[in-house]
Structures are given as structure tokens and as C-alpha cells.
Amino acid sequence: MPDPGDPGGHDDPHFRTWKGLIFSYHGQCDLIYTTCPSFDDSKGLHIHIRTKHVMPHRWSTISSMAVKIGADIFEIQRDGTYYLNGEPNANLSDTANLAGHKISHKFNESMKFIVSLSDGVSLEIVRHKRKRRDSIYFKIVGAHYHRKNGGSSFSDCVGLTSTWDHPEGVGNFLIGRNGTRYHRKHKAIDFGAEWQGDFSKDDPM
């Protein structure tokens, strides 16, 4: 049986959970895609995105994204500007990293950044330049293989990804901050709102 789609997100926006199940959330806000406090001996992995409405259409696009591991932060905006620990368009040499996790890039018709995470798992971020709009796509590659082999690097992750071990049946696989289950079609708007960034709840970044 083929693996489900990689966890990640792209235009509209459509998101995939840790198990690859898809749902949509149209908002204009800062969102926690996933937060994993115990990642890499408690350095922590935090992936946040910002969405904006595309007018006059009734949908959104991912306009920027931030990844934090330990004390290091990588950010990218849909105009192609990126930051490493606050430095704009920093030189991403062979030694560039986020708390020891290598970050590399490929620039051609699009911009692609790869952050090595754990045991062959990597975060791939692509900035697409298009006639109508620029946008950011991202996916976590190797997560399903990591799961099949008993990996637990992401076992405490929560966010728009839902939980690492979320249920798969009847559409109720979206898990909120307090363990509430949401249906992917009928309640995704409530689920998405739960994962808006909120410093009053000690959200990172």
C-alpha cells in the first residue's frame, strides 16, 4: 500500500497531518503548523506559518513561514526574502544550521530550502514565483518511513498537523489544544482557529 502524502501545506491553503490526511483552512492569521517541545533532546521544533486572503477570491495563501530549533530561527517570505537569526538573505554556507540541523538551499526557477531534522526526515520549503501570486509550499519528507521504523522524534508534536498518533476514522482526526476532536469537513474552521498563535498561552516564537 503506498504511503499517504507527506505532512505539509500549500496554496488555498490545504494541509496534511502527520499521517498525511488532508484538510483545508482559510484564514488570515499566524498559525502553529506544529510544535514539538521534546524534539532533539528538548531543543524543540516549532513551525509557524502566516496566511493572507487572496482577493477577490475566498481563499488564502501562505505568505510567510518560520522554523525554530533550539534558539535558531529561519524565516522566509513569499517575495523570496529569507532570514537566518534575523540576518536578511544570509549566506547559507555548508555549515549553516539550526541548532546543529543542517540547512541547505537550491535556487533556480524557484527557491528551495531543506532543513535536516532526524533519521532521514527533512523539512522542504519551496517559494514559487507565479504570474498571479507568489506562494510558499512545504512538506516534511520521510515522516512515514520514520513512523514505520518505530521512530519517535515527533511523538509529542501538536498543531495543525494534529498529533503524531491521531485517529484516522470518520474524519474526526483533527486534535485541538485540549484534546477536542474536530471533523475535517464540518469543523476545520474551529480547529484552525484553535491553532492561531497566542502568546497568552505561552506559544513559542
Side-chain angles (χ1 to χ4, degrees), residues 126-144:
V126 178
R127 179 257 183 170
H128 284 290
K129 187 174 180 59
R130 296 179 169 180
K131 290 182 179 180
R132 294 177 59 190
R133 68 191 177 280
D134 299 338
S135 58
I136 295 172
Y137 288 34
F138 68 96
K139 60 182 178 179
I140 300 173
V141 179
H144 302 309

Side-chain angles (χ1 to χ4, degrees), residues 7-10 15 29-31 33-34 45-51 61-68 73-79 81-84 113 115 117 123-127 135-140 205:
H10 59 87
F15 299 106
C29 51
D30 293 339
L31 294 161
Y33 178 68
T34 202
L45 167 66
H46 311 286
I47 302 174
H48 288 204
I49 60 173
R50 175 170 291 169
T51 58
T61 190
I62 299 172
S63 61
S64 61
M65 182 173 181
V67 183
K68 182 179 182 182
I73 301 176
F74 174 76
E75 304 168 75
I76 181 169
Q77 300 180 12
R78 66 176 177 177
D79 67 0
T81 304
Y82 64 90
Y83 302 83
L84 181 59
F113 301 88
V115 181
L117 296 179
L123 170 64
E124 296 186 1
I125 307 167
V126 178
R127 179 257 183 170
S135 58
I136 295 172
Y137 288 34
F138 68 96
K139 60 182 178 179
I140 300 173
M205 291 197 296

Side-chain angles (χ1 to χ4, degrees), residues 7-203:
H10 59 87
D11 252 359
D12 220 354
H14 302 300
F15 299 106
R16 287 189 183 272
T17 68
W18 277 114
K19 291 187 178 180
L21 304 180
I22 195 167
F23 69 98
S24 300
Y25 176 67
H26 305 276
Q28 181 168 267
C29 51
D30 293 339
L31 294 161
I32 298 173
Y33 178 68
T34 202
T35 183
C36 315
S38 297
F39 177 77
D40 192 7
D41 294 327
S42 297
K43 289 181 182 177
L45 167 66
H46 311 286
I47 302 174
H48 288 204
I49 60 173
R50 175 170 291 169
T51 58
K52 288 190 174 181
H53 286 143
V54 177
M55 302 303 291
H57 308 289
R58 294 184 178 180
W59 46 271
S60 305
T61 190
I62 299 172
S63 61
S64 61
M65 182 173 181
V67 183
K68 182 179 182 182
I69 303 177
D72 294 331
I73 301 176
F74 174 76
E75 304 168 75
I76 181 169
Q77 300 180 12
R78 66 176 177 177
D79 67 0
T81 304
Y82 64 90
Y83 302 83
L84 181 59
N85 292 326
E87 181 182 348
N89 299 323
N91 178 27
L92 298 179
S93 66
D94 290 342
T95 59
N97 68 89
L98 299 178
H101 294 265
K102 180 177 175 57
I103 179 169
S104 57
H105 67 282
K106 297 178 182 178
F107 293 167
N108 40 50
E109 292 183 0
S110 61
M111 301 174 70
K112 183 176 184 179
F113 301 88
I114 302 172
V115 181
S116 298
L117 296 179
S118 174
D119 297 329
V121 182
S122 61
L123 170 64
E124 296 186 1
I125 307 167
V126 178
R127 179 257 183 170
H128 284 290
K129 187 174 180 59
R130 296 179 169 180
K131 290 182 179 180
R132 294 177 59 190
R133 68 191 177 280
D134 299 338
S135 58
I136 295 172
Y137 288 34
F138 68 96
K139 60 182 178 179
I140 300 173
V141 179
H144 302 309
Y145 184 82
H146 184 72
R147 182 190 300 279
K148 284 181 179 179
N149 284 274
S152 59
S153 295
F154 311 97
S155 60
D156 70 338
C157 296
V158 293
L160 292 179
T161 49
S162 196
T163 56
W164 176 249
D165 59 353
H166 68 73
E168 299 179 53
V170 204
N172 294 311
F173 55 77
L174 303 177
I175 308 299
R177 288 179 184 262
N178 297 316
T180 303
R181 291 189 183 187
Y182 294 92
H183 193 283
R184 72 181 183 93
K185 289 186 177 180
H186 310 306
K187 292 292 184 178
I189 188 169
D190 297 324
F191 171 72
E194 271 214 47
W195 290 111
Q196 290 184 19
D198 187 343
F199 289 114
S200 71
K201 297 177 180 176
D202 296 323
D203 289 341

